[in-house]
Amino acid sequence: MKKIMVLYFAVVLISFIGSSIASPHASKTIELTINSTTALVNGEKKTLEQAPIILNQRTLVPLRFIGEEMGAKVEWDNANQKITMTMDYAPYYKESLNLQQASEEIPLGNTPGNLAIHTKYALYNDWIYTIRPFLTSKEYPREYDYHLIRMRSDGTDRSELGRLLSSDFDNSSIFGMFNIVDDHLYFAKTGGGSIGFNELELDEPAQLCKTDLMGNGIQVLYEGFFHTMFVYGDWIYLTISEKQQAKRYPSKCSFLYRMKSDGTHMELLLPESTYYPMMYQGYLYATVLSESDPGIYRMLPDGSNRVRISKRLGAQLQADGGWIYFIEYNDKLDQPINLINYASGDIYKVRGDGTEESLVKKGKAYVLNVSNAWAYFCDSAGMFRLHLSSNDLHRINNVRAFFILLFHDWVYFYEVPKEVDKDWVGGGRYLMRTDGSNKRNMVDIKP
């Protein structure tokens, strides 16, 4: 009689490398038969170099075959008679992702730092895309056409692409959460108010929309009260709340969902209040306001294998060089949700695995963006950049900003107006070099 062994992915992983990466969505079945060089992997026949045998009442199996089938690298050190088996994180999720997705230098969609403040700009193939309203005609000064705009990161070569929609002044649209993946722009649209956590105050839900990069029409994928959104691989991740729940429990209502990029297959990942979700190096990170263990968590893309990496409440989560950066939010959890969006506090960092947590900059930073070993932030004194290795600190703008977006070596920002003689002056959209030079008003940039 033949003896058949069935090895399941989760069991083998835990036994050999102590990982808990297996999930219901990432399984593999390996069937081995004693004294046979034929194996079945998910029903597919494979040939073994060495058949499994029984020796001294112990079953011996070919480790290299099993390891490599699981995506591991198996090395034999003949001098030391040692086997090393190495497995990358989440290999079965990576198979379906664009290779750019795992690159820190070339983020796909948009960077976590840009998305943390619901950006209405996105970089794709060295072009910046945004949406702008234009007057339909001088005869009708209250009617607008919204066009998709493309330009270089320094604001040059700007051109109008397709018209997405039209509206009048009283029904103007607000856009944000720009992601560009596979030649399509994903974005949030509301009929007024603001994009993000403040939309809890709206009477109408926001729309999650999609268009091609020529602006050929809008496809609505989802409509509801969602507060963050990013695209990763074939999935769109959103934090969603019900309107009535949002009104009654403003700080405990934003649950994490994901759906396919075509708008199908919506599924709940975290049934707890979740903020600032982002993807980094194959893992999903988010601040979770659980009643028992609030803090920053790391998990697999399907929400499983959740591990708390910091007890601090992190606002504007983002990553660089293997570190997770955030502003610590110290206010009470029962405060309105929009205060978390504009949290002010100390800047911290922690390794992706939860080790080496430390203070980066003490103070009341309220805007943060990290890129290429620099942290850009705002406090009451203006806009700064801090080198994350040397700790060199430079003030690059004397005026505070509502947001800081980073594209190549350019900073996009919206200045906070100043009160002078009981009147508000300044404000507006600007761009400048990351060192603070060559500051330009976006209004002055012509097609």
Side-chain angles (χ1 to χ4, degrees), residues 179-216:
N179 287 248
I180 300 179
V181 177
D182 295 334
D183 294 322
H184 283 86
L185 169 66
Y186 298 80
F187 60 94
K189 170 186 171 295
T190 71
S194 60
I195 291 289
F197 297 112
N198 285 335
E199 73 184 47
L200 293 175
E201 302 168 2
L202 299 179
D203 293 324
E204 297 180 0
Q207 293 179 331
L208 196 168
C209 304
K210 177 181 180 180
T211 183
D212 66 27
L213 293 187
M214 294 306 295
N216 293 318

Side-chain angles (χ1 to χ4, degrees), residues 399-400 402 414-419 424-428:
V399 181
R400 296 184 297 156
F402 283 120
Y414 191 99
E415 283 192 349
V416 178
K418 290 183 177 180
E419 187 175 8
W424 291 98
V425 297

Side-chain angles (χ1 to χ4, degrees), residues 302-370:
D302 65 355
S304 65
N305 295 69
R306 189 174 61 173
V307 177
R308 186 168 66 171
I309 64 169
S310 175
K311 294 181 180 180
R312 303 181 190 274
L313 297 181
Q316 301 182 23
L317 298 186
Q318 50 208 274
D320 186 84
W323 293 92
I324 310 301
Y325 293 86
F326 58 93
I327 296 175
E328 184 181 22
Y329 177 67
N330 291 315
D331 294 303
K332 297 179 182 180
L333 297 185
D334 59 357
Q335 294 297 309
I337 214 169
N338 58 359
L339 293 185
I340 295 179
N341 188 29
Y342 297 101
S344 62
D346 301 331
I347 301 173
Y348 278 85
K349 68 177 181 179
V350 63
R351 288 285 185 187
D353 60 2
T355 60
E356 303 181 57
E357 184 174 85
S358 61
L359 177 69
V360 174
K361 179 69 172 64
K362 190 169 182 60
K364 287 191 174 294
Y366 65 90
V367 176
L368 175 67
N369 203 334
V370 177

Side-chain angles (χ1 to χ4, degrees), residues 107-180:
L108 190 63
N110 213 333
T111 66
N114 286 347
L115 287 171
I117 43 77
H118 314 297
T119 177
K120 57 182 65 180
Y121 297 87
L123 174 67
Y124 191 68
N125 292 338
D126 291 328
W127 290 96
I128 302 291
Y129 289 81
T130 187
I131 298 174
R132 279 204 59 200
F134 293 86
L135 282 174
T136 304
S137 69
K138 293 182 180 179
E139 298 178 6
Y140 303 98
R142 296 179 63 85
E143 294 184 0
Y144 293 90
D145 286 337
Y146 288 87
H147 285 263
L148 186 64
I149 302 297
R150 188 180 76 170
M151 60 188 172
R152 297 295 184 185
S153 55
D154 62 356
T156 61
D157 297 334
R158 193 174 73 173
S159 59
E160 296 179 24
L161 303 177
R163 181 177 64 85
L164 297 178
L165 70 153
S166 298
S167 67
D168 59 41
F169 180 80
D170 295 325
N171 296 287
S172 59
S173 297
I174 305 297
F175 305 92
M177 307 184 199
F178 278 31
N179 287 248
I180 300 179

Side-chain angles (χ1 to χ4, degrees), residues 18-192:
S19 171
S20 58
I21 196 172
S23 76
H25 302 288
S27 63
K28 178 174 282 192
T29 303
I30 302 174
E31 299 179 43
L32 305 177
T33 303
I34 298 299
N35 297 323
S36 174
T37 56
T38 298
L40 294 178
V41 179
N42 283 350
E44 180 183 352
K45 287 187 178 181
K46 298 288 183 75
T47 301
L48 304 171
E49 293 183 2
Q50 177 66 49
I53 62 173
I54 296 177
L55 181 65
N56 298 328
Q57 297 183 341
R58 292 182 180 273
T59 302
L60 305 182
V61 298
L63 179 62
R64 179 180 295 278
F65 173 81
I66 295 172
E68 291 179 349
E69 282 297 324
M70 295 189 303
K73 181 180 180 181
V74 181
E75 298 175 303
W76 166 245
D77 183 350
N78 188 58
N80 296 307
Q81 297 287 290
K82 183 177 71 174
I83 299 173
T84 302
M85 187 172 177
T86 307
M87 173 169 275
D88 192 10
Y89 51 81
Y92 292 92
Y93 288 101
K94 278 189 167 184
E95 288 178 0
S96 63
L97 299 180
N98 187 304
L99 291 177
Q100 284 186 310
Q101 186 75 68
S103 169
E104 189 170 307
E105 291 74 28
I106 312 174
L108 190 63
N110 213 333
T111 66
N114 286 347
L115 287 171
I117 43 77
H118 314 297
T119 177
K120 57 182 65 180
Y121 297 87
L123 174 67
Y124 191 68
N125 292 338
D126 291 328
W127 290 96
I128 302 291
Y129 289 81
T130 187
I131 298 174
R132 279 204 59 200
F134 293 86
L135 282 174
T136 304
S137 69
K138 293 182 180 179
E139 298 178 6
Y140 303 98
R142 296 179 63 85
E143 294 184 0
Y144 293 90
D145 286 337
Y146 288 87
H147 285 263
L148 186 64
I149 302 297
R150 188 180 76 170
M151 60 188 172
R152 297 295 184 185
S153 55
D154 62 356
T156 61
D157 297 334
R158 193 174 73 173
S159 59
E160 296 179 24
L161 303 177
R163 181 177 64 85
L164 297 178
L165 70 153
S166 298
S167 67
D168 59 41
F169 180 80
D170 295 325
N171 296 287
S172 59
S173 297
I174 305 297
F175 305 92
M177 307 184 199
F178 278 31
N179 287 248
I180 300 179
V181 177
D182 295 334
D183 294 322
H184 283 86
L185 169 66
Y186 298 80
F187 60 94
K189 170 186 171 295
T190 71

